[in-house]
Amino acid sequence: LVAVARRLTMARGVCGARSFQRTASFSTATQEAQGASTLAASATTVSPSHQVFETVQKPAPSVFAVVQVGGKQYKVSPGDVIVTEKLIGAEVGSMIHLEKVLMVGTAQETAIGTPLLEAKVLAEVQEQTKALKEIIFKKKRRKHYSRTNGHREPITVLGISDVLFPSLSLPIA
């Protein structure tokens, strides 16, 4: 990915004296590793300074819900994976019910809670881990003062398996 970005900047003439054209393309080894169906972007050259990227859109989910977990709101549908703050008492592999559902919708209908709905979202706890390290750096110039500290936030990875809302007229899967 870094090589693709480097090629794009060279094609635009940003990297010094080099102003020749290079096109961003993915190698066949990368396509075989990621699979032809999961390749997210491909490049076609329009002019020497412009690149057009085409993205493959996945089909729209049949049902979605907006849930509140750990003080944050997430739009989820069956099959999604979300990363939340650590949920205490949730063991890896267990199924949990997310009961703070703010909105449920399909392509035809939408139900908005005031503030919550009588719905549940079933989720499987896939992982309890820590996030990437955040570096905290403090400096006061000309005072010979600098402090570096790091912090890794504990997180929970949830896989959404189903959205349960009995008063929606359409079947939910």
Side-chain angles (χ1 to χ4, degrees):
L1 193 59
V2 174
V4 173
R6 189 173 295 144
R7 285 185 207 147
L8 286 176
T9 56
M10 284 181 179
R12 292 188 185 118
V14 177
C15 290
R18 295 183 185 181
S19 61
F20 55 90
Q21 175 186 358
R22 288 191 181 183
T23 59
S25 62
F26 294 97
S27 66
T28 57
T30 307
Q31 290 177 353
E32 291 173 1
Q34 294 179 350
S37 63
T38 59
L39 186 62
S42 63
T44 58
T45 304
V46 176
S47 69
S49 63
H50 299 290
Q51 298 287 329
V52 175
F53 288 93
E54 300 169 4
T55 58
V56 178
Q57 298 289 332
K58 64 179 185 177
S62 60
V63 64
F64 71 92
V66 176
V67 295
Q68 184 174 355
V69 180
K72 297 179 183 172
Q73 298 176 4
Y74 300 92
K75 180 183 175 188
V76 297
S77 59
D80 286 350
V81 176
I82 60 172
V83 177
T84 65
E85 294 178 2
K86 182 175 181 171
L87 300 177
I88 298 172
E91 297 178 10
V92 175
S94 65
M95 294 293 290
I96 61 172
H97 299 276
L98 304 176
E99 296 180 353
K100 289 188 177 181
V101 180
L102 305 170
M103 182 167 69
V104 175
T106 62
Q108 290 79 24
E109 285 185 71
T110 301
I112 301 172
T114 55
L116 299 176
L117 291 172
E118 296 293 327
K120 290 183 181 178
V121 174
L122 295 176
E124 178 186 0
V125 179
Q126 294 181 349
E127 190 176 1
Q128 293 269 19
T129 185
K130 291 183 179 181
L132 296 175
K133 181 173 273 194
E134 296 290 327
I135 303 296
I136 297 102
F137 181 71
K138 299 178 181 179
K139 180 177 176 66
K140 293 184 181 179
R141 60 186 191 154
R142 298 186 300 272
K143 305 296 183 198
H144 195 63
Y145 175 86
S146 65
R147 300 287 182 265
T148 304
N149 207 344
H151 175 69
R152 292 184 69 187
E153 189 73 26
I155 57 172
T156 301
V157 179
L158 298 175
I160 307 299
S161 58
D162 200 6
V163 176
L164 303 173
F165 188 57
S167 62
L168 202 60
S169 63
L170 298 173
I172 296 176

